[in-house]
DNA sequence: CTGGATCCCAATAGATACTG
DNA sequence: CAGTATCTATTGGGATCCAG
């Protein structure tokens, strides 16, 4: 990674890391489903392959969006946690969810959740970020 | 396109259309630089290839995010305009820009612009949407 | 001029099987 | 359980070409 950036545009810099089919789905699973382990990510509805998952987790770690650590109590389990930069992607997920909810035929229940988060404005997001910090940042 | 969706999650439905390196850069150029023509998109700093550009423009049209029309006054020029669904991607661009501005080394001037738009909250976005509607929706 | 198509080949991503 | 290995299918950049 870190092939010299193509431009200093903030939108471009973001897309160079999270601009693909899978990355934000991994973050979504961490944020909304509390997933922390490799196998959990594999089991999402969209069906990411283990190869792609491993690669994305590594670059997300290199880019400072999540951390990897071995759970000492549980032996083999590797734990993935969000950093502050990762938690800061929550507004991106929220706007993306709001758009999908409005303009595509989304699953009803999930669409309602997305709408609520977006409608709450900054306050709802900040509250959720605080909760995520407590859970992820050790 | 339109291979059956992988899940009804609103975030996933959005990513199935705009989840790639280039699509949101095209929208960005329409929104912030007022670009409307094929050759204009080709000239962005990031250097999209004509092949990729043509493909993205077509699927964006199929997905109802932009429209294509021939400029009758100018003969050959093809004009691309955003639909309401396209304009509704503005909040996604704003959150993406805010993240890049905060967590990567972005170009100073562009970063300030991104921050202002995000900081303004809903009001700044709605104002800009209204301007875009006037310009794009015929 | 313009919006695009075509061709070549390098990089990516999926499926499945397998390992420490 | 967290990943690799391998093989194959698809995508994507880059240059060039072309028709209106």
């Amino acid at each position: 990674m870190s092939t010299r950036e193509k431009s200093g545009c903030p939108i471009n810099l973001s897309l160079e890391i999270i601009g693909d089919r899978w990355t934000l789905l991994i973050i979504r699973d961490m944020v909304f489903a509390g997933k922390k382990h490799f196998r959990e990510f594999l089991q999402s509805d969209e069906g990411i392959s283990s190869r792609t998952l491993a690669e994305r987790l590594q670059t997300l770690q290199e880019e400072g969006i999540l951390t990897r650590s071995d759970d000492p109590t549980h032996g083999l389990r590797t734990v993935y946690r969000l950093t502050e930069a990762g938690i800061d992607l929550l507004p991106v997920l929220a706007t993306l969810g709001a758009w999908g909810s409005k303009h595509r035929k989304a699953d009803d229940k999930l669409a309602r959740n997305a709408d609520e988060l977006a409608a709450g404005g900054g306050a709802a997001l900040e509250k959720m970020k605080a909760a995520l910090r407590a859970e992820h940042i050790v």
Side-chain angles (χ1 to χ4, degrees), chain A:
Chain A
M1 289 302 130
S2 276
T3 46
R4 186 100 208 93
E5 293 97 8
K6 297 208 178 206
S7 90
C9 166
I11 294 173
N12 175 60
L13 293 172
S14 299
L15 289 174
E16 287 187 353
I17 301 171
I18 60 165
D20 72 276
R21 236 349 286 298
W22 295 110
T23 300
L24 286 176
L25 293 179
I26 296 172
I27 313 282
R28 172 202 66 180
D29 284 348
M30 298 184 83
V31 165
F32 296 109
K35 295 186 183 175
K36 289 186 170 53
H37 304 289
F38 197 91
R39 292 285 145 172
E40 293 179 304
F41 296 120
L42 278 186
Q43 281 154 18
S44 293
D45 285 349
E46 293 87 8
I48 191 173
S49 79
S50 65
R51 171 193 164 83
T52 304
L53 175 59
E55 188 209 297
R56 291 305 132 91
L57 286 172
Q58 188 183 327
T59 85
L60 283 172
Q61 185 190 1
E62 288 168 2
E63 298 291 350
I65 287 161
L66 51 79
T67 60
R68 177 196 316 213
S69 58
D70 293 337
D71 183 339
T73 71
H74 239 88
L76 276 175
R77 301 202 34 120
T78 299
V79 181
Y80 294 95
R81 289 194 191 81
L82 292 167
T83 63
E84 182 70 26
I87 293 172
D88 270 347
L89 285 170
L90 180 56
V92 177
L93 291 176
T95 52
L96 224 38
W99 189 87
S101 163
K102 180 171 178 186
H103 293 286
R104 323 250 53 113
K105 291 167 238 56
D107 179 88
D108 280 348
K109 198 157 84 184
L110 295 173
R112 266 194 304 276
N113 291 345
D115 292 346
E116 275 172 36
L117 191 61
L125 287 177
E126 282 310 320
K127 196 170 160 189
M128 187 155 180
K129 278 195 197 179
L132 287 169
R133 262 179 223 115
E135 190 185 348
H136 284 89
I137 299 183
V138 288

